[in-house]
Amino acid sequence: SRQMLPRVFLSQPLQNGVSRYTCQLKRITLKFCKFRPNSLGAREFIENGDFLEFARANPQVACYLKPRRNRPPVLQAEFANGSVQLARIDSFPAEFVRRWFWLMRGRSGDDLLPLHENLRSFHPSVQGVWTPFTFGRSVGLGDLPDSRHRPMSPSATELIQQLHRLQSARMS
Amino acid sequence: MLSRLSLCRRHPLCQHFAAVVAASRRPVATFEAAPVAPLTPPRQTPNVMHGTRLATDPRWRRRMREDLYRRRMLAGPEPERPRSVWSNWSRRAELSAAAHRLGLAGLAGFSQQWLDRVLTFRESAEADGVTADSSIAHQNVAKGYELDDESSDSVAMATSSTPAESMPRDNAELVPTGRALIAEHCGRFLARELPHVPENLREQAVSLLTSDQSLSFVAGHLGLAELLSGVDTRPSMLPLSVEADAFAALVASAKLCCPNLSEGDEAAWRLTRDFLLTRLHNSDINEWWTIDAQRRLPLLSESLAAAGFPADEPLEFRLMGQSAPESPVYSCFQVGLYIRREFLSSGFGETAAQAQDECVSEALKTLFDTADSRAPMNFKLTYADLASALE
């Protein structure tokens, strides 16, 4: 939610995709135990040939296997921007492990944070952003006296003019 | 005698004892031997346990956790190590992956050995200790796990047509070639995309683009920093210039390894275009150079003269809009620049003078064609297009 996590703007490392797309996953390590039951999915993933299939389909990713005794299985993905993401695949079926592999392949390595917006543009306005002066309005310019300004009390000139009008009316 | 003191864990002597024990027991995989000084006075650990008490833990476990934490803090931070010392590292695999990631695996003359040499720096090829494939890898070899020959690689790279004898031993000659090539590429690209911008401003942009900081940023994001050999690849010890040189060497190698000249030119150009020049995308191109405040009006006059307006035509600054009298809070002035009674640009500011300055900047942007409304840069240019545009 907005209060707990900071929001970020949509971005790609090194403007990935503007002229060429580079897979941001550099290396992926599958750490598993050869004996414990929570690594069963990981072991099946390897034995079914899915690991080799992933490695062959993604020559740009260095794939490692790291058997570790008495430790839960973990997927460690290292990305081009230097970040490392760990996926705990404790007791996952082999299909889920496979999906995590392919998910990491598509990630950029940026932290998973909420976005301000699902799109970002550095030129959001095509015709120009509206300003109060866009359509020629100007508030502070003008000649005085302005007929729109009504004085609170008549000026000396106006008083004399008023007197003259009354006198003329009385005379005629 | 010591047993009574050791019951009281807060005693400084006991804490010191605990630190010494921790340092001696824990197998610290130091990259270089960290000097352990057992006679230093005990440090005051900061109170980092505040708010970390688990109510569900029994008291003995809480105290054990706190004690372990305190010992860990006393032992100090983990030493910084390069990525290659961990066991999940194979230089052969990493170079192969890097070649595919950079799109160089398909080139005719490219091979893993070539990439290895490209990322090898001369100086400490003789000096020791800091190369990849550390003792752990040697242990793996001894156990028979490591298969470090290309013949077993199922994802084989193109075999190199360059014989091993003619391959350079390191990248010392590639670096200056690469730097020159990158500068040439950037200069040509900006000349093509920004033809109306004066050359000294384009040169400022090129020098920013090809600076060590910029190139090392690119090299880091391509994963080259970890693959260097002959230098200390720990992030705190690796200077920016070395990373920049690695990228330059890579660009030069892409050009030189191909027997076909045009293919090599294209490959090197694509590396520069796709990784370095795309830094200009989604950025205000005017931020890549600086024009002094005193220089703006003269530059404007020169640009107008170049655009075809005679030098004696006066520049008219007209007040187009004003929202309030000049005050520090509400005022907004809009000043327009007219030449030959034609509108050129407008600018906003808190005072009329500021608005006028802004107006001049906007006019320069219009004349240089670097306004926000300009067409985006073409990052799909091929090397042939680039070369032909300038002929």
Side-chain angles (χ1 to χ4, degrees):
Chain A
S1 73
R2 204 174 296 165
Q3 282 81 30
M4 294 297 290
L5 292 170
R7 293 217 167 204
V8 295
F9 288 100
L10 199 61
S11 68
Q12 282 292 329
L14 269 192
Q15 304 292 336
N16 195 22
V18 168
S19 58
R20 94 157 78 162
Y21 171 73
T22 312
C23 180
Q24 294 295 307
L25 182 61
K26 283 192 300 193
R27 66 188 73 90
I28 193 158
T29 310
L30 178 55
K31 305 180 186 178
F32 64 103
C33 178
K34 289 182 182 176
F35 179 70
R36 286 202 171 202
N38 52 13
S39 287
L40 183 64
R43 291 196 296 270
E44 279 180 2
F45 173 76
I46 299 164
E47 285 163 9
N48 293 345
D50 293 328
F51 179 76
L52 278 178
E53 184 192 334
F54 179 86
R56 286 199 189 97
N58 298 292
Q60 72 278 4
V61 179
C63 306
Y64 296 96
L65 288 175
K66 189 167 180 181
R68 300 195 298 169
R69 264 184 302 190
N70 303 323
R71 291 281 182 275
V74 158
L75 197 61
Q76 179 176 312
E78 287 162 70
F79 296 93
N81 64 356
S83 72
V84 177
Q85 293 188 359
L86 295 164
R88 298 176 70 174
I89 50 177
D90 208 322
S91 306
F92 278 20
E95 171 60 21
F96 281 28
V97 178
R98 194 196 76 83
R99 288 181 195 176
W100 269 103
F101 260 80
W102 287 90
L103 178 71
M104 290 303 194
R105 176 197 181 268
R107 278 193 177 169
S108 69
D110 289 340
D111 292 337
L112 301 175
L113 292 169
L115 295 173
H116 286 278
E117 268 185 307
N118 287 337
L119 48 92
R120 189 175 194 194
S121 169
F122 284 80
H123 306 287
S125 172
V126 175
Q127 297 176 14
V129 182
W130 177 89
T131 67
F133 307 116
T134 300
F135 298 111
R137 283 180 57 224
S138 181
V139 175
L141 290 181
D143 295 325
L144 289 175
D146 192 324
S147 58
R148 291 172 294 181
H149 299 152
R150 299 175 52 128
M152 297 292 289
S153 54
S155 63
T157 313
E158 282 171 358
L159 269 174
I160 292 168
Q161 282 169 350
Q162 232 174 7
L163 283 171
H164 174 74
R165 275 197 293 272
L166 283 170
Q167 197 174 40
S168 313
R170 230 184 278 129
M171 299 280 272
S172 60
Chain B
M1 178 191 64
L2 206 57
S3 58
R4 271 207 195 165
L5 286 173
S6 65
L7 286 175
C8 176
R9 288 196 210 101
R10 290 203 188 98
H11 196 278
L13 194 60
C14 180
Q15 287 190 355
H16 172 63
F17 177 68
V20 169
V21 167
S24 65
R25 271 188 193 159
R26 196 169 63 83
V28 172
T30 49
F31 190 68
E32 48 188 355
V36 176
L39 298 177
T40 52
R43 270 182 284 149
Q44 295 291 324
T45 29
N47 183 15
V48 294
M49 296 305 297
H50 178 70
T52 57
R53 179 177 156 129
L54 269 186
T56 50
D57 265 355
R59 274 189 300 172
W60 63 268
R61 198 183 288 157
R62 250 179 260 153
R63 286 172 187 170
M64 189 187 80
R65 282 177 65 241
E66 286 169 14
D67 185 57
L68 285 172
Y69 196 99
R70 200 175 298 120
R71 288 169 187 237
R72 182 68 190 87
M73 295 298 278
L74 281 173
E78 285 275 345
E80 193 184 8
R81 288 163 275 190
R83 178 63 182 82
S84 51
V85 304
W86 272 274
S87 59
N88 52 348
W89 177 269
S90 156
R91 189 167 172 78
R92 176 184 63 76
E94 293 293 334
L95 289 173
S96 172
H100 281 97
R101 194 183 319 127
L102 298 165
L104 300 172
L107 292 182
F110 210 83
S111 73
Q112 179 210 316
Q113 286 139 358
W114 178 264
L115 187 58
D116 186 25
R117 302 296 167 81
V118 164
L119 297 173
T120 302
F121 283 83
R122 184 184 290 165
E123 265 97 58
S124 358
E126 292 87 22
D128 169 32
V130 198
T131 50
D133 295 342
S134 69
S135 57
I136 296 170
H138 288 305
Q139 288 166 23
N140 286 344
V141 167
K143 286 180 203 168
Y145 295 152
E146 183 74 45
L147 297 168
D148 218 358
D149 48 347
E150 281 195 331
S151 56
S152 65
D153 189 0
S154 59
V155 189
M157 294 172 53
T159 50
S160 171
S161 56
T162 323
E165 299 80 36
S166 74
M167 258 195 237
R169 210 177 139 224
D170 50 50
N171 64 5
E173 283 158 18
L174 292 172
V175 167
T177 318
R179 290 262 195 176
L181 206 54
I182 289 172
E184 187 200 327
H185 287 159
C186 293
R188 280 189 170 186
F189 181 77
L190 289 182
R192 191 183 194 278
E193 292 293 321
L194 305 169
H196 305 293
V197 176
E199 203 173 320
N200 61 333
L201 298 183
R202 282 205 302 258
E203 271 165 24
Q204 280 188 38
V206 169
S207 69
L208 264 186
L209 266 176
T210 56
S211 64
D212 278 353
Q213 206 163 12
S214 175
L215 293 178
S216 75
F217 177 82
V218 171
H221 276 264
L222 293 176
L224 299 179
E226 296 161 327
L227 296 170
L228 303 179
S229 77
V231 286
D232 193 343
T233 58
R234 289 180 286 177
S236 64
M237 304 290 290
L238 194 62
L240 291 180
S241 60
V242 169
E243 285 188 87
D245 288 343
F247 182 69
L250 191 74
V251 172
S253 71
K255 175 167 180 182
L256 295 173
C257 75
C258 293
N260 183 2
L261 263 180
S262 67
E263 193 192 341
D265 283 336
E266 182 70 31
W269 158 244
R270 283 201 178 175
L271 280 176
T272 319
R273 180 196 73 185
D274 294 339
F275 297 121
L276 185 63
L277 286 170
T278 46
R279 299 200 72 202
L280 297 170
H281 186 248
N282 279 348
S283 78
D284 185 5
I285 187 68
N286 298 291
E287 301 288 321
W288 289 82
W289 52 70
T290 348
I291 309 171
D292 291 334
Q294 297 91 359
R295 184 83 191 104
R296 273 195 207 130
L297 262 177
L299 187 59
L300 178 62
S301 313
E302 286 163 20
S303 310
L304 283 168
F309 292 93
D312 56 345
E313 284 279 353
L315 299 173
E316 296 172 45
F317 290 97
R318 299 189 201 163
L319 186 65
M320 288 168 66
Q322 180 182 354
S323 73
E326 190 170 314
S327 83
V329 184
Y330 291 118
S331 60
C332 177
F333 289 78
Q334 188 187 19
V335 166
L337 176 57
Y338 290 79
I339 183 160
R340 249 195 234 157
R341 291 174 181 257
E342 282 173 14
F343 174 80
L344 190 58
S345 71
S346 77
F348 290 91
E350 280 181 348
T351 63
Q354 284 180 10
Q356 189 169 327
D357 286 337
E358 190 62 28
C359 195
V360 171
S361 300
E362 292 292 316
L364 284 172
K365 283 188 200 175
T366 309
L367 289 168
F368 295 160
D369 190 25
T370 56
D372 275 352
S373 55
R374 63 158 275 140
M377 292 194 177
N378 183 8
F379 293 107
K380 306 278 189 193
L381 273 181
T382 58
Y383 190 73
D385 293 335
L386 194 74
S388 65
L390 294 170
E391 279 152 19

